[in-house]
Amino acid sequence: MSRRDPYVALRHRNFRLILTASTLSIIGSFLETTALSWELYERTNDKLVLATVGLVEFLPVLLLALPAGHLADRFDRKKIAVIARLVEVIAALGLAALSFTRGPIPLIFAVIALTSAARTFNSPAFGAFLPLSVPSAAFGNAVTWEMTAFQLAAMVAPALAGGLIAVMAPIQIIGGPLNVGATLGYVISAILSLVIAACVWSLNVRRLPPSHEAATLKDVLAGARFVFREKTILSAITLDLFAVLFGGAVALIPVFAKDVLNVGPDGFGLLRAAPAAGAIVMSLVMTQLPPIRKAGKLLLIVVAGFGVSTIVFGLSTAFWLSALALAFTGAFDMISMVIRGALVPMRTPDAMRGRVSAVERVFISSSNELGAAESGLTAQLFGPVLSVVGGGIGTLIVVALVALGLPQLRQLDELKTEEH
């Protein structure tokens, strides 16, 4: 169907609202993370600070993801998502205030944890809306467009953040130089979260009937049991977990920009946007192609390509080659995200989507936040180059182990949506 009408999902109002909210969410998130990584490294010149950010972001996910998924399957998902977004508004304004006053870094970490907690509750509630926003036959097209918007936002936001940091000259205050660009980035993120809350409130999607049964530990853990029973889902998200855990070079881009490639905030912003630039090109190509066939084998190939590109970035001392390698990591990751993004909801009943989405978020956050922590720690111990190159090699090893140990993934063919 996507071959005949590549814009079929965009013709549905609910999906347009979801796409708008998702796009603005990614812009706000990348504005925050890009400004934070630059500001914290500039203030401390300490690679371990970047590792600490990843740990602080991961802990709320680890503690709250399963309860958040359970709530999303028992209560009004729309209200949960709106409340979570309003908490993000407060957190973003808190970061702006701490940036403006050069507040203590431990307090910045506390606000980062609050933001992560809000996103943990938002993710399973908001994520359950997408399969309900379009007909089953258009779901694959919807996933591709959502990933396209994701990568477009991920390309624009870091460049915007880098530009703000570069153009808005620091102001000298008593505590030291005030990074006006970073502060403004947090304020913009808060405004975007307000708009997202309005989009979510405007959705008209089917609601689950309220549950009057007492919550049990068995219910909370049902999503985890489902994932471990569905070996194809398990293998796909396991591959993503360890590949990004070992192969994530994004967390060290501030270090490479400043210490290896010797470029300023503009160059940093461009490097931070390069993975999304590669992904957006790939995603636009994918919207014009027929449904993916041999999806499991393709997933293994593209994750291996991600690892090779990571190695090239780690070894490069030329800005253009580093940016190109990062662009290829984004292109390969885009294909992986589309496959996983269609596979998990496709094989999950609506009544369990919140809990399964929460389990998936634990996997994703484990790879992203713990990957950032791992990169920062190994960079501190062994240097940034060895950290990134070793991570790329680790990714290739993971691909080989998953291919041999979880054969269900190799057998995955065309992605087709199913009714539940």
Side-chain angles (χ1 to χ4, degrees):
M1 184 163 185
S2 59
R3 179 185 295 178
R4 295 194 302 270
D5 185 1
Y7 310 103
V8 60
L10 297 174
R11 306 187 192 284
H12 297 270
R13 174 184 176 274
N14 280 333
F15 177 69
R16 292 196 299 271
L17 286 169
I18 290 173
L19 189 65
T20 300
S22 298
T23 305
L24 295 181
S25 176
I26 297 305
I27 292 175
S29 176
F30 271 88
L31 277 174
E32 279 192 20
T33 55
T34 304
L36 270 172
S37 61
W38 182 265
E39 183 176 11
L40 290 175
Y41 189 63
E42 188 177 54
R43 284 180 60 176
T44 65
N45 202 37
D46 185 358
K47 302 177 185 67
L48 286 178
V49 169
L50 302 178
T52 305
V53 170
L55 287 174
V56 169
E57 290 178 331
F58 174 67
L59 286 177
V61 178
L62 181 64
L63 297 174
L64 301 174
L66 294 183
H70 185 60
L71 286 176
D73 284 341
R74 287 176 61 89
F75 299 103
D76 190 331
R77 292 166 175 168
K78 192 157 70 170
K79 289 181 180 178
I80 294 173
V82 169
I83 292 172
R85 285 297 175 184
L86 294 179
V87 173
E88 287 192 51
V89 172
I90 296 172
L93 292 177
L95 287 175
L98 290 170
S99 176
F100 186 78
T101 60
R102 288 184 65 84
I105 289 179
L107 191 53
I108 293 176
F109 286 145
V111 178
I112 293 173
L114 176 63
T115 302
S116 179
R119 290 173 180 169
T120 300
F121 280 95
N122 173 76
S123 180
F126 183 78
F129 295 142
L130 181 61
L132 305 176
S133 66
V134 294
S136 176
F139 181 63
N141 182 255
V143 170
T144 302
W145 276 112
E146 187 182 44
M147 296 303 173
T148 301
F150 174 96
Q151 297 297 348
L152 180 61
M155 179 178 65
V156 171
L160 174 61
L164 286 173
I165 294 170
V167 173
M168 306 293 290
I171 299 175
Q172 290 296 326
I173 60 175
I174 295 177
L178 167 64
N179 199 318
V180 181
T183 304
L184 184 57
Y186 305 137
V187 173
I188 295 174
S189 179
I191 295 172
L192 293 178
S193 289
L194 276 176
V195 177
I196 293 167
C199 288
V200 173
W201 193 252
S202 300
L203 286 172
N204 182 22
V205 293
R206 185 176 75 249
R207 299 186 182 185
L208 292 174
S211 175
H212 301 290
E213 297 180 0
T216 65
L217 182 61
K218 181 179 179 181
D219 291 334
V220 174
L221 298 178
R225 290 198 306 273
F226 180 85
V227 168
F228 281 92
R229 186 169 66 247
E230 291 286 334
K231 297 301 183 183
T232 305
I233 294 179
L234 177 63
S235 57
I237 61 179
T238 299
L239 181 64
D240 180 80
L241 164 65
F242 288 103
V244 178
L245 178 64
F246 293 129
V250 172
L252 294 179
I253 289 179
V255 180
F256 276 82
K258 187 175 181 180
D259 300 337
V260 178
L261 301 175
N262 299 311
V263 296
D266 283 333
F268 164 64
L270 291 174
L271 286 174
R272 191 65 178 80
I280 194 66
V281 172
M282 178 59 69
S283 65
L284 291 175
V285 171
M286 293 181 71
T287 61
Q288 306 299 318
L289 296 178
I292 294 174
R293 299 190 64 84
K294 306 295 182 183
K297 292 179 180 178
L298 178 60
L299 183 59
L300 291 167
I301 292 171
V302 298
V303 175
F306 179 88
V308 172
S309 301
T310 299
I311 294 172
V312 173
F313 171 75
L315 295 174
S316 170
T317 57
F319 177 80
W320 69 268
L321 182 58
S322 298
L324 184 63
L326 287 173
F328 271 99
T329 66
F332 289 127
D333 192 44
M334 177 65 196
I335 302 173
S336 171
M337 289 171 63
V338 168
I339 294 174
R340 194 185 70 248
L343 172 66
V344 177
M346 176 186 72
R347 302 202 172 190
T348 304
D350 181 47
M352 291 192 63
R353 281 186 177 132
R355 283 165 288 180
V356 171
S357 176
V359 174
E360 186 183 16
R361 177 162 175 77
V362 173
F363 275 78
I364 294 173
S365 293
S366 297
S367 60
N368 291 334
E369 278 76 38
L370 289 185
E374 179 269 336
S375 296
L377 180 60
T378 55
Q380 181 75 14
L381 294 175
F382 307 110
V385 173
L386 188 58
S387 172
V388 171
V389 172
I393 294 173
T395 300
L396 297 178
I397 294 173
V398 167
V399 171
L401 292 176
V402 170
L404 295 174
L406 292 168
Q408 292 87 350
L409 185 62
R410 297 199 313 269
Q411 298 164 6
L412 179 64
D413 193 12
E414 184 175 348
L415 294 174
K416 297 179 181 179
T417 56
E418 298 176 357
E419 299 290 344
H420 296 283

